[in-house]
Amino acid sequence: KLEYIGIVSVPVLWFIFSMEYTGRGDRLTRKARASLYAIPALTFGLTLTNESHLLIWAETSLDPQGYPPLVILAYGPWFWVNVAYSYSMILAGVAFYLAAYFQTQRIFRQQMNVMVLGSILPLVVNAVRLFTPVPLHGFDLTPFTFTFSGILLFIGLFRFSLINLTPIAMPLVMENLHDAVIVVDNSRRIVNLNPAAREWLGVGNEAIGQSALDVLKPTDIVRQYWESVEAQFQMEIGHGGQHRWLNVTISPLRNSRGKIMGRVVVARDNTREHTLLMAEQRHARQM
């Protein structure tokens, strides 16, 4: 019965996590979150009182060879309601990941592959146990698969750098902007950059995942302003006849709750305006 604390909670927690991670967390109001736990709470209550209604376990038996000795021979109708609800929560979460998969950079696709596999593995093993006539004497591999699932999720979180900024937010960087736009996470890693930024920095997609302070040029100027919550400055790049003046803005990127999830660096080419201003100043001095 105590196992059902985890059994009824994990699918809902996974669903909530997948919504948060794929940028749908703003839909999860307090009322919506509470409603997600209605069936799990009812299921746990029915589990504790099963002897009076047999809605969870209809028939049990003692098997000396069982693991554990108490073996469930038949499930009650509400057990299958909970199975359907739990499977739908997990599969809905996987669907969110698959929808986000095609909108993210390759570095995040590796991450999502690992995380989806980690969520599917316990589900498949549990389905085999419930829907196949394999004589396991009550032995349930599902809890053990969570060990492997946990390892896979750990790899997804740390090996592939599951960053604080959700990758589904990447389409917000508009590819057709003339301004250079660079999105950086709280660990100062570049999450995405548009074509104008690639041209400015002279880099390609290999810059994604690298430290922003190593990629942004000139590094010493960027470091000077980086620790500020918000910063705006002008800098000169290039040499000879290739001089360009950029107005650079570093702004915090916040989620729906106001928490800073990263930074957005926007560099606007101000060369023409700067050249005109310098010309006007020279003309004024001559007069």
Side-chain angles (χ1 to χ4, degrees):
K1 289 182 178 182
L2 291 178
E3 288 177 354
Y4 268 70
I5 296 175
I7 290 173
V8 300
S9 299
V10 168
V12 177
L13 291 172
W14 166 254
F15 176 79
I16 292 174
F17 177 79
S18 65
M19 288 197 71
E20 292 279 2
Y21 184 67
T22 57
R24 297 174 171 86
D26 56 343
R27 304 179 190 177
L28 289 172
T29 62
R30 288 186 178 181
K31 192 172 183 179
R33 289 174 186 262
S35 65
L36 289 175
Y37 280 102
I39 290 181
L42 179 57
T43 301
F44 186 61
L46 292 175
T47 301
L48 296 178
T49 58
N50 182 72
E51 290 78 8
S52 62
H53 48 69
L54 303 180
L55 289 175
I56 304 296
W57 305 301
E59 186 180 354
T60 59
S61 176
L62 291 176
D63 183 353
Q65 298 179 3
Y67 307 95
L70 180 65
V71 178
I72 299 167
L73 300 179
Y75 294 102
W78 190 262
F79 173 85
W80 298 110
V81 171
N82 181 65
V83 167
Y85 182 76
S86 298
Y87 280 29
S88 66
M89 288 287 99
I90 295 173
L91 292 176
V94 172
F96 290 147
Y97 275 104
L98 293 178
Y101 180 90
F102 298 102
Q103 303 177 42
T104 60
Q105 298 289 339
R106 182 174 298 178
I107 185 174
F108 297 116
R109 292 185 178 185
Q110 292 177 324
Q111 188 182 97
M112 287 186 171
N113 286 337
V114 171
M115 298 188 73
V116 169
L117 179 60
S119 65
I120 287 292
L121 183 61
L123 188 69
V124 171
V125 172
N126 183 256
V128 169
R129 175 181 175 271
L130 290 178
F131 301 108
T132 60
V134 180
L136 295 176
H137 296 285
F139 184 62
D140 187 1
L141 279 171
T142 306
F144 296 94
T145 59
F146 274 104
T147 302
F148 298 102
S149 178
I151 293 172
L152 288 172
L153 294 177
F154 180 87
I155 293 172
L157 288 168
F158 299 103
R159 172 63 181 85
F160 292 116
S161 303
L162 176 61
I163 56 174
N164 293 327
L165 181 65
T166 57
I168 193 62
M170 296 307 99
L172 298 177
V173 181
M174 292 179 249
E175 292 293 316
N176 60 347
L177 281 178
H178 295 295
D179 296 342
V181 181
I182 305 165
V183 183
V184 183
D185 72 354
N186 278 337
S187 298
R188 299 179 177 178
R189 289 187 299 263
I190 292 179
V191 175
N192 205 351
L193 66 172
N194 67 350
R198 294 186 184 99
E199 180 184 355
W200 164 35
L201 299 171
V203 298
N205 286 333
E206 73 278 357
I208 295 175
Q210 296 184 27
S211 170
L213 297 183
D214 293 336
V215 175
L216 296 179
K217 304 172 184 177
T219 301
D220 55 340
I221 296 179
V222 175
R223 286 181 184 274
Q224 180 181 348
Y225 294 95
W226 191 259
E227 295 304 325
S228 304
V229 176
E230 294 190 49
Q232 186 172 0
F233 55 93
Q234 189 175 74
M235 67 182 188
E236 182 183 9
I237 62 173
H239 56 277
Q242 300 296 321
H243 272 272
R244 294 169 61 192
W245 290 87
L246 300 176
N247 281 337
V248 180
T249 302
I250 301 177
S251 305
L253 186 61
R254 304 177 186 271
N255 64 10
S256 59
R257 299 183 181 88
K259 181 181 178 182
I260 296 178
M261 308 300 288
R263 304 284 185 87
V264 177
V265 180
V266 179
R268 173 170 295 178
D269 192 332
N270 197 38
T271 304
R272 183 173 180 275
E273 291 83 353
H274 181 80
T275 303
L276 291 173
L277 179 61
M278 294 295 291
E280 289 177 2
Q281 290 176 349
R282 284 195 300 268
H283 181 69
R285 286 195 296 267
Q286 291 172 358
M287 294 179 63

Coordinates of all heavy atoms in Angstrom, one line a residue, residues 4 7 11 57 67 101-102 107 116 123 144 157-158 163 213 225 229 232 237 239 241 248 258 287:
Y4 N 2.2 2.7 -3.2 CA 1.3 3.6 -4.1 C 1.5 5.1 -3.9 O 1.0 5.9 -4.7 CB -0.2 3.2 -3.8 CG -0.7 2.1 -4.7 CD1 -0.2 0.8 -4.7 CD2 -1.5 2.4 -5.8 CE1 -0.6 -0.2 -5.5 CE2 -2.0 1.5 -6.7 CZ -1.5 0.2 -6.6 OH -1.9 -0.8 -7.4
I7 N 3.7 5.2 -6.8 CA 3.0 4.8 -8.0 C 2.1 5.8 -8.6 O 2.0 6.0 -9.8 CB 2.3 3.4 -7.7 CG1 3.3 2.3 -7.5 CG2 1.3 3.1 -8.8 CD1 2.7 1.0 -7.0
P11 N 3.8 9.5 -12.3 CA 3.3 9.9 -13.6 C 2.8 11.4 -13.7 O 3.1 12.1 -14.7 CB 2.0 9.0 -13.8 CG 2.3 7.8 -13.0 CD 3.0 8.3 -11.8
W57 N -7.4 -4.3 -5.5 CA -7.0 -5.7 -5.6 C -8.3 -6.6 -5.3 O -8.8 -6.5 -4.2 CB -5.9 -6.1 -4.6 CG -4.7 -5.2 -4.7 CD1 -4.0 -5.0 -5.9 CD2 -4.2 -4.4 -3.7 NE1 -2.9 -4.2 -5.6 CE2 -3.0 -3.7 -4.3 CE3 -4.5 -4.1 -2.4 CZ2 -2.2 -2.8 -3.6 CZ3 -3.7 -3.2 -1.7 CH2 -2.6 -2.6 -2.3
Y67 N 7.6 -12.9 -4.7 CA 8.5 -11.8 -4.4 C 7.7 -10.5 -4.5 O 7.6 -9.9 -5.5 CB 9.7 -11.7 -5.3 CG 10.5 -13.0 -5.5 CD1 10.2 -13.9 -6.5 CD2 11.5 -13.3 -4.6 CE1 10.9 -15.0 -6.6 CE2 12.2 -14.4 -4.7 CZ 12.0 -15.3 -5.7 OH 12.7 -16.5 -5.9
Y101 N 10.9 18.4 -29.9 CA 12.2 17.8 -30.5 C 12.5 18.5 -31.9 O 13.7 18.8 -32.1 CB 12.0 16.3 -30.7 CG 13.1 15.6 -31.4 CD1 14.1 15.0 -30.6 CD2 13.2 15.4 -32.7 CE1 15.2 14.4 -31.1 CE2 14.3 14.7 -33.3 CZ 15.3 14.2 -32.5 OH 16.3 13.6 -33.1
F102 N 11.5 18.7 -32.7 CA 11.7 19.2 -34.0 C 11.9 20.8 -34.0 O 12.1 21.3 -35.1 CB 10.6 18.8 -34.9 CG 10.4 17.4 -35.1 CD1 9.5 16.7 -34.4 CD2 11.3 16.6 -35.9 CE1 9.3 15.3 -34.5 CE2 11.2 15.3 -36.0 CZ 10.2 14.6 -35.3
I107 N 21.9 19.8 -30.2 CA 22.5 19.5 -28.9 C 21.3 19.2 -27.9 O 21.5 18.3 -27.0 CB 23.3 20.7 -28.3 CG1 23.9 20.4 -27.0 CG2 22.4 22.0 -28.2 CD1 24.8 21.5 -26.5
V116 N 13.5 10.9 -23.0 CA 12.3 10.1 -23.4 C 12.6 8.6 -23.2 O 11.7 7.9 -22.7 CB 12.0 10.4 -24.9 CG1 11.0 9.4 -25.4 CG2 11.5 11.8 -25.1
L123 N 7.8 2.3 -18.2 CA 6.4 2.1 -18.7 C 6.3 0.8 -19.5 O 5.4 0.0 -19.3 CB 6.1 3.3 -19.7 CG 4.6 3.3 -20.1 CD1 3.7 3.7 -19.0 CD2 4.5 4.4 -21.2
F144 N 12.9 -1.6 -10.3 CA 14.3 -1.8 -10.7 C 14.7 -1.0 -11.9 O 15.8 -0.5 -12.1 CB 14.7 -3.2 -10.8 CG 14.6 -4.0 -9.6 CD1 13.4 -4.7 -9.3 CD2 15.6 -4.1 -8.6 CE1 13.3 -5.4 -8.1 CE2 15.4 -4.8 -7.5 CZ 14.3 -5.5 -7.2
L157 N 20.4 15.2 -17.7 CA 20.4 16.5 -17.0 C 21.8 17.1 -17.0 O 22.0 18.3 -17.1 CB 20.0 16.2 -15.5 CG 18.5 16.0 -15.3 CD1 18.3 15.5 -13.9 CD2 17.7 17.3 -15.5
F158 N 22.9 16.3 -16.8 CA 24.2 16.8 -16.6 C 25.2 16.5 -17.7 O 26.0 17.4 -18.1 CB 24.7 16.3 -15.3 CG 23.9 16.6 -14.1 CD1 23.1 15.7 -13.5 CD2 23.9 17.9 -13.6 CE1 22.3 16.1 -12.4 CE2 23.1 18.3 -12.5 CZ 22.3 17.4 -11.9
I163 N 19.9 22.7 -19.4 CA 20.2 24.0 -18.9 C 18.9 24.6 -18.3 O 17.8 24.1 -18.5 CB 20.7 25.0 -20.0 CG1 19.7 25.0 -21.2 CG2 22.1 24.5 -20.5 CD1 20.0 25.9 -22.3
L213 N 31.5 33.9 -22.8 CA 32.6 34.8 -22.5 C 33.9 34.4 -23.4 O 34.8 35.2 -23.5 CB 33.0 34.8 -21.0 CG 31.9 35.3 -20.1 CD1 32.4 35.4 -18.7 CD2 31.5 36.7 -20.6
Y225 N 31.0 44.2 -18.6 CA 29.6 44.5 -18.4 C 28.8 43.3 -18.0 O 27.6 43.4 -17.7 CB 29.0 45.1 -19.7 CG 29.6 46.5 -20.0 CD1 30.6 46.6 -20.9 CD2 29.0 47.6 -19.5 CE1 31.1 47.9 -21.3 CE2 29.5 48.9 -19.8 CZ 30.6 49.0 -20.7 OH 31.1 50.2 -21.0
V229 N 23.0 43.3 -14.1 CA 21.8 42.7 -14.5 C 21.4 43.1 -15.9 O 20.9 42.3 -16.7 CB 20.7 43.1 -13.5 CG1 19.3 42.5 -13.9 CG2 21.1 42.6 -12.1
Q232 N 24.2 48.2 -21.3 CA 24.1 48.7 -22.7 C 25.4 49.5 -23.0 O 25.7 50.4 -22.2 CB 22.9 49.6 -22.9 CG 22.7 50.0 -24.4 CD 21.3 50.7 -24.6 OE1 20.6 50.9 -23.7 NE2 21.1 51.1 -25.8
I237 N 34.4 47.0 -33.7 CA 35.0 45.8 -34.1 C 35.6 46.0 -35.5 O 35.2 46.9 -36.2 CB 34.0 44.6 -34.1 CG1 32.9 44.9 -35.1 CG2 33.5 44.3 -32.7 CD1 31.9 43.7 -35.3
H239 N 38.9 46.1 -38.4 CA 40.1 46.9 -38.5 C 40.2 47.4 -40.0 O 39.5 46.9 -40.9 CB 41.4 46.1 -38.2 CG 41.5 44.9 -39.1 ND1 40.8 43.7 -38.8 CD2 42.2 44.6 -40.2 CE1 41.1 42.8 -39.7 NE2 41.9 43.3 -40.6
G241 N 39.5 49.3 -43.2 CA 38.2 49.8 -43.8 C 37.0 48.9 -43.4 O 35.9 49.2 -43.9
V248 N 25.4 47.4 -28.1 CA 25.2 46.0 -27.5 C 24.3 46.2 -26.3 O 24.6 47.1 -25.4 CB 26.5 45.4 -27.2 CG1 26.3 44.0 -26.5 CG2 27.4 45.2 -28.4
G258 N 9.1 35.4 -13.2 CA 10.0 36.5 -13.0 C 11.4 36.0 -12.7 O 12.3 36.8 -12.5
M287 N 33.6 74.6 -38.6 CA 32.9 75.9 -38.7 C 33.3 76.8 -37.4 O 33.1 78.0 -37.5 CB 31.4 75.7 -38.7 CG 30.9 75.0 -39.9 SD 29.1 74.7 -39.9 CE 28.5 76.4 -39.9

